[in-house]
Each structure stands twice: as C-alpha cells, then as structure tokens.
Amino acid sequence: MPKISRFNTSYNVKRKRQRRNERRTVAQSILIPPDTDSDESDKEQEQLIDTEPHLDAVEALEEQYMQSAASLHIIDDSPPLYKDSPTNIKTAVKLLTDFYTSVNLDKKNVLRLLKLFKSLLPQPNLLPTTWKSILKLFDKHCLSSTKYLCLKCDALCHSSKYGQKKCVNPKCLLNKKTLKRTEITEIVTLDIKSQLETILYRNQNILNKNELFPEGDIHYGEFYQANHSQKRNAITLILHCDGAPLAKASKQCLWPCFASIIELPPPIREYQRNIVVVALWAGKKKPNANIFLEDTIYQLKYLMSNKFSLFIDQLEYEISLSTQFFISDLPAKSLFLNTISFNGYYACSYCCTKGEWCKDSRMVLYPYEQNDFTERTHQQFVKAATEAEQKINGGRELSVTGVKGFSILLEVFNYPDQIIFDYMHLICLGHLQSIIKRWCNKLLNKRQIQVIDQQLQQTRLPHNMHVIYYESISSVDKWKAKNGRLFVLAIGVPLMIQHLPKLVASHFTLYSIAIKLLHYPKTQDEITLGEALLERYCEQAVLVYNDKAISLFSLHAHLHLGKQVKLHNSLAFCSAFSFESCITFIKQKIHGSRSLASQIAYWTNIESMIQPTKVKWPSSTGLNRIRLSSSLIDPFRQTLTNLIINKQQEVSEISFYKRFKDKFVTFHTKLYDQEFNCVIYIISFESNQGSIEYGDIILFYSYQNQYYVFLKHYQRIDTPLSHFVSIPNEVNATLDDLFPLVTLSNTYSIIALDRVRHKCIRSLFQNVFCLSEVRVDFEHD
C-alpha cells in the first residue's frame, strides 16, 4: 500500500472541514448548553452593570424583535442566536437587513458588517455571514439567474471556476479568448412570482379596493374591464423598458425591464417598492429583445397559462396573471418590437401610413393629408415579421411595412392595442419641446423670454409638486419631464397667450385642452372632444408654423392617443414617471462598475426574501389641531363663528384643524401656509347648484364625526380666457372651465368636505388669477 502523503489534502479542503466541525460544535453548544459555571471575572463584571436600565433596554429590544417577527412572512421558529438570546436567528437577520438596506451598504461591506456583529456577539453564536447561509436560513433558493454574453456575437459565454468568461462561438473573433469586463454583456432574469408574493403581502389591505381607484384610472378602462375585471384574484401587469447610462468610464448602460401592478391603486402602484424588477441588461450595446427577455417571457407565459398559488398569512390564494400593455419611449419601442425606427417609413404601430422623404429637412415626414388610417392587426404584424425574417440576406435586415422581424413580446401582448405610446416622452419631452424651440427661435424676442422665465420661476405651486424651472424656456431641451408636464397641463396656456401671436397662441391652446382632457377624462364625450381637437391641431400645424418639418412621426402619433385613452382610460397612468424614479433608486444601489445587473438583483432578492410590514388602510383625518382662541384665527373668528351658528352647530363641540389627510392626498389651509413659499390651499368644489367654484381653505373642522371646510371664495371675472384667443366656439366653454380667470372675493362659506374636488394651481394673467385643477398624477409628485 502506498504511503499517503500528508500534503495530499489541500489547504481549502482542510479549512472547509475545520469550519464544518466548528459549526457542529456551535450548534450543539446552543441547543444543549454545557453545565459550566461562569468565571469569577464574569461575575465581577456583572456586578458593575446597572440592572434596571439594562432590563429596560432588554424589554425594548424584545418588543422590537416581536414586531419584526410579526412582520415576517413566516413564523420565526429558528434557534436562538446564542445561549439565552432574547431573539432568534431569523429576527436578528431581519433587523440587520432593514439597517443595511436603508443605509445602502454594498455587498462587500454587508458581509464585513455581519462578520463584525458575529465577533461581538457572545460566543458561540449562529449569526450567518454569507449570502448562501442566509438563503438556507429562510429555506429559499437564489431568486435570479445570470447569463453572460459575448459583446461581439451575443453568444453565451463559458464561465470557468475562477469566474473567467470565454466566448465559445467558433465564428466569433473573440472565440476561446478570456473576455474583459467591457467585452461581456450581463443579463439577469429575476423571479416574478416571489416578488409578487412580497408586494401583495405588503399591500394586502388595499389591493383591488374600488373606492381607492380614481375614475380616470386604467382600472376602469375598456380593455381592463373586458379582459381582467371578472377574474378571481386577478393580477395584471404593465411592462416598461428603457435604457439608462450608468458608468461613464466604461460607457456601460443598464436596460431594466420593470412591471407595475394594475390592481394597486395610484399612487401606491408607482412607488418604487411596489415595482417588479423583471429583468436587467448591462453592457456597452443595446439589447436584443428576443435574447434579453427570453426567460422573462417564458416565466410570464407559464404563470399566465397555469394559475399559481401564493401564500399570504398562511392562506393560499390562486392567482390569475395577465398583461395590460407594454410601454416605452419611441426608440425603445422600435428596439423591443423589432420594427423600423421612429424616424423611418411605416413607423406607426396603429395605422398603415407611410412617411415620405423631405429633401429640405432631410427627414422622413408624415404629412397630415397623406395619412392612411387603415388599422393594423396582430395577424398582419406577425405575417409581416415572418416575411421579413425570410428576406434576411447575408445578415442584413429588411423591413416589411416597417416590421424587421418577430418580437418575443408578441407572445404575451396583442399588437397594437397593448403596445402604447408613453405621453411622458411623446409630449412632455417630445412635441412640446419641439414647438417651444420654434417660439424662441422665431416668435419671441429676448425681453419676452426674460419675462416668461421670471413668471415661470415665480409660479407658486402646491407643496407636493417639486417643479422648479432652473433652465430658461430658451433651453427647453434641458427641462425635465415634470417641467413639461406642468407647462402643458396647467400654466402654459395663460402664460403664452400674453406673449405669442394670436394664431399660434390659439393653436397651442387647442393642444393644451386636448392633452388635459385625455390626461384625465371624466366622460366619453371628453375623450371624443380631445381626439377631435388633436386631429384639428395636427391638420393645421404646418399652416400655423409655415414649416413642413413639424410633421414628424411624433406629431402623427398624437392622432392615435384618443384610441389609446378609450382602451386604457387615461394618459395619466400610462406614463414612465415611475420608471424614472426606479432608475434613480437602482442607481443608488450600484457600487463601482462591476456586475451592475447582479448587484441590483442581489438587493431585489434580499427585499423579496425578508418580508416587510403591511401597508395600512389610508385614513381620512384632520391634522394639526388648533384652538378657536388662537391668534392665527383672529382675522376670521367673527365670520367663522357666525357661519357656524347659522348652520346650527355648537362651537364647543367642534375641533379645528390646519390640515386634512384624505386617503393619499393631504390638503392644507391658508393658516398653515404662512411659513411656506407655496400655494397649497386653493381648491375647487361643487356649489349647491352643481357648478364648479374655487376658494382658499382657511380651516378644517369636524362636528359630529363629519368634516367641513371654512373657505374664502374666488369669483370669475366678466372677460373669460376664451376672449383672448380664436378657437372654435364649441370649445370656448371647455377652455373657460379648464382655465377660469378669477379674483379673490370677500365671500366666506362653510361646505362639507365631500364637495371638495382638487387642488388648484394659480397663474397670473393680466392682473387677475388663472386657475387650473391639479389632477391625480400631480398629487403625488
């Protein structure tokens, strides 16, 4: 028998054996504590401890541990952290996870933190210090899968045991070479089911509650009502994709694919913590959608065709999953649908209009008089995609009526009804900037631009609308989407009527009215009117600006917004504003430039594994109570008292408040606003005759469990805004309702709180105020 060398066993093997033995010893010592007395030094140290404060701290910790354990999705039946520990392992890991996720530690420092705590805790202890041990503790597996592609050929890379990546495509120039970090594309696909379970658990109390959904929401749209509303335990997803530059040094970009849940009411739906991270693409080039979303679409198809169960509070729910629509900006839309670019021929996904080449502007234009409104169908699109793939010659893509090939998205979305335009990019960052540039270049002088800039900067808004115009209107391409949104929906019309020629001002007024109606429609008649106004706007655009170059595809796309709103009920919640907030959030989770997608997936997996606290039902209550004897009420006390007596209410039984929270919206009063440079107290309300009036809220008060509003009225002036523009007579009333010109009156009244409609934005128009209601997606900016 050959002699066994004592060097045959490697150092790593010996170290693993040693760690296994140490873990066995720790487990045995905790589960079966040895009968040993403490040392004399330990006894002496215990005598130095002040026992009463120590016991109070322990009780506080125990209460915190109990709350944390209650917020866990599963019962904490794990062993104690160490001998005589007041908490178990899972609860301890939950507390630590809440801490290092809130302070945004990177993965390396998280492991260092866990090891530090492990060393400071009484020995021996069972605190896990690796990602694998944490997964094992919660009986979970890794909830994401990662692929690495060669940057040159998009072929899967082979990974060695040392993490080196090599291309295995024999036709690739990088074949069998060790790839650099910049030569690799990283794809991470996350588990949708586990994230849904986390989000639904957190929002169980408000999920699918009809009274929380505004009337202009997708929830009440034709498409949702026809396809999803009657399903039991229905969960409906919106998918949105776009790219975001991350690391400047390596020129890497991140292309995330997110999903929103329709059954969550706005604004809860658009909170970052309620967005499903579906897949991530990180690399130096744009993604191939069929490769990027292959595993994601497989997941969605499986979950949609097979009802699956989620366990929430130990109760089983059978879920019916479906999709609502796919949304992105125009470049990403053509990329993911494998169609011609938005500046090419046949770029429209709704109709068969073919653009024409303009020699003067050197662009493909879509003149209104040459529109072909023959609608496209899903079957025609698939047929064109099949034909285009058959025509590929030598790797060169050829398009058939704008279709370059099949897109994997069409396996879960119907074309074109479920492929929609994003109004954030189409309007706020698109067409609006185009026409403002024309104003500044040809129609406005430097003095007018300075005045407009001053008026924009002096605009006082409700406190929850963080919109500040840092950039001049002449630098509109530097505006953020929220600046453009506020301009087109609220303040642009009264501001620009004072500076633009009457023809151009009237034309823009039609545009603003149409977008405002489609943004949050209350009736089908408003949708019809908005659609007709947009058609008239597009038809006259070339004549008004005397410029054919305005007829870009982005203008043509406006003609299909009416149909989009009819299907999905509004533009307000068909936006990518939530996408932008998610991009901002995930950028904070990235440290360095290595494995960008995997870093984000790591934190997403952590949040899916450690269950959060449930969201409570939104309450409606008065805030910041104030006494009637307060000096702040002195200017209004006599008037308020008289109105209360006229209502036959007892002043002694009334509680007064400076703020009121109504579900997701907080209303403020004029008394509360004295310390702030904003207007947060102007509201619209329904009069006794059913008309819409406006006023400043002075106080809220409650009497016999009912809330009332004490307010000062605005009165409309005799000359309405429609007097200053030339628009069709049938639109005058709509303009004056959307943008009333008012002055502050001396009339006070008390109304029931349920008559209050919206907050309002106030703009100055020729020494009077022009008001505009703040609609739903503004309320939670």
Side-chain angles (χ1 to χ4, degrees), residues 321-334:
L321 187 70
S322 54
T323 57
Q324 180 73 14
F325 53 72
F326 173 81
I327 183 170
S328 64
D329 62 2
L330 294 178
K333 183 169 175 279
S334 61

Side-chain angles (χ1 to χ4, degrees), residues 259-434:
S260 305
I261 301 174
I262 294 294
E263 284 69 25
L264 291 178
I268 299 294
R269 177 191 303 152
E270 298 187 2
Y271 289 172
Q272 176 275 327
R273 60 180 175 270
N274 294 327
I275 298 293
V276 181
V277 183
V278 176
L280 301 159
W281 171 291
K284 294 181 67 174
K285 70 176 185 179
K286 295 180 180 179
N288 181 320
N290 293 341
I291 298 175
F292 174 32
L293 299 177
E294 180 182 6
D295 294 339
T296 296
I297 298 301
Y298 175 81
Q299 266 195 86
L300 287 174
K301 288 173 63 178
Y302 179 81
L303 295 176
M304 290 168 63
S305 59
N306 302 282
K307 291 185 178 181
F308 59 96
S309 296
L310 295 181
F311 292 87
I312 302 175
D313 288 339
Q314 300 180 358
L315 297 177
E316 182 179 2
Y317 295 86
E318 192 177 59
I319 304 298
S320 298
L321 187 70
S322 54
T323 57
Q324 180 73 14
F325 53 72
F326 173 81
I327 183 170
S328 64
D329 62 2
L330 294 178
K333 183 169 175 279
S334 61
L335 178 67
F336 282 89
L337 288 174
N338 204 7
T339 58
I340 202 74
S341 177
F342 65 94
N343 54 4
Y345 303 100
Y346 294 108
C348 187
S349 56
Y350 277 91
C351 69
C352 297
T353 300
K354 180 183 179 181
E356 67 173 22
W357 175 256
C358 178
K359 294 182 180 180
D360 297 334
S361 59
R362 299 187 62 81
M363 292 183 293
V364 176
L365 303 180
Y366 286 77
Y368 177 83
E369 59 275 5
Q370 296 186 17
N371 285 327
D372 179 3
F373 290 112
T374 304
E375 293 187 359
R376 295 200 187 206
T377 64
H378 185 84
Q379 292 74 17
Q380 290 175 350
F381 189 91
V382 173
K383 181 180 179 181
T386 305
E387 186 177 347
E389 290 181 345
Q390 293 173 352
K391 288 184 176 181
I392 294 178
N393 184 14
R396 182 182 178 185
E397 291 182 333
L398 300 175
S399 65
V400 177
T401 61
V403 182
K404 297 190 293 185
F406 186 76
S407 170
I408 198 169
L409 283 172
L410 299 186
E411 295 184 13
V412 293
F413 292 104
N414 187 49
Y415 190 96
D417 292 345
Q418 289 184 276
I419 309 297
I420 71 171
F421 297 111
D422 169 38
Y423 100 100
M424 186 188 88
H425 290 97
L426 183 66
I427 297 170
C428 305
L429 295 175
H431 182 68
L432 178 67
Q433 292 190 359
S434 174

Side-chain angles (χ1 to χ4, degrees), residues 74 89-90 92-94 96-97 100 107 110-111 114 126-142 602 605-606 609-610:
I74 56 178
I89 307 173
K90 289 181 180 178
V93 173
K94 169 70 165 62
L96 288 171
T97 303
Y100 61 67
K107 187 176 180 180
V110 166
L111 298 180
L114 292 176
L126 295 178
L127 181 68
T129 58
T130 64
W131 171 234
K132 289 184 179 180
S133 59
I134 293 175
L135 286 175
K136 187 176 180 180
L137 175 66
F138 288 92
D139 295 324
K140 298 287 186 179
H141 60 278
C142 188
Y602 170 78
N605 290 334
I606 286 284
M609 183 182 64
I610 308 295

Side-chain angles (χ1 to χ4, degrees), residues 230-267:
Q230 302 302 320
K231 294 181 180 179
R232 180 179 175 84
N233 295 332
I235 297 297
T236 315
L237 299 180
I238 300 172
L239 252 63
H240 33 116
C241 297
D242 202 355
L246 291 177
K248 293 183 179 179
S250 60
K251 297 182 180 180
Q252 282 192 312
C253 288
L254 182 73
W255 289 76
C257 180
F258 295 138
S260 305
I261 301 174
I262 294 294
E263 284 69 25
L264 291 178

Side-chain angles (χ1 to χ4, degrees), residues 457-573:
Q457 293 169 4
Q458 294 171 0
T459 301
R460 300 176 66 200
L461 305 172
H463 73 290
N464 57 328
M465 295 175 59
H466 306 293
V467 182
I468 301 176
Y469 287 89
Y470 294 107
E471 302 292 342
S472 168
I473 192 173
S474 59
S475 302
V476 67
D477 52 341
K478 297 180 181 179
W479 280 9
K480 294 184 177 181
K482 59 185 179 182
N483 298 101
R485 176 178 58 172
L486 177 65
F487 191 91
V488 72
L489 294 178
I491 66 176
V493 167
L495 177 60
M496 299 313 300
I497 285 177
Q498 303 174 79
H499 301 284
L500 290 175
K502 192 170 187 177
L503 175 63
V504 178
S506 302
H507 190 247
F508 174 68
T509 300
L510 291 181
Y511 182 70
S512 183
I513 294 174
I515 299 302
K516 196 171 180 68
L517 291 176
L518 296 179
H519 169 259
Y520 188 80
K522 289 177 283 188
T523 63
Q524 288 295 318
D525 290 339
E526 287 192 347
I527 299 177
T528 303
L529 177 58
E531 191 174 18
L533 292 179
L534 277 183
E535 185 168 353
R536 182 164 186 152
Y537 174 83
C538 295
E539 181 182 8
Q540 298 177 344
V542 174
L543 297 176
V544 170
Y545 290 98
N546 193 26
D547 185 4
K548 293 182 179 180
I550 198 173
S551 299
L552 297 172
F553 170 69
S554 57
L555 179 66
H556 169 86
H558 283 68
L559 297 170
H560 301 291
L561 292 180
K563 180 181 179 181
Q564 178 174 310
V565 174
K566 287 178 182 177
L567 287 173
H568 304 292
N569 215 41
S570 75
L571 294 177
F573 304 105

Side-chain angles (χ1 to χ4, degrees), residues 110-158:
V110 166
L111 298 180
R112 292 178 61 186
L113 178 68
L114 292 176
K115 291 177 181 178
L116 175 62
F117 272 100
K118 188 176 181 69
S119 65
L120 295 176
L121 288 172
Q123 300 296 328
N125 63 75
L126 295 178
L127 181 68
T129 58
T130 64
W131 171 234
K132 289 184 179 180
S133 59
I134 293 175
L135 286 175
K136 187 176 180 180
L137 175 66
F138 288 92
D139 295 324
K140 298 287 186 179
H141 60 278
C142 188
L143 302 176
S144 61
S145 61
T146 305
K147 293 180 180 179
Y148 298 97
L149 306 181
C150 173
L151 185 67
K152 293 288 185 182
C153 63
D154 285 339
L156 281 174
C157 295
H158 171 73

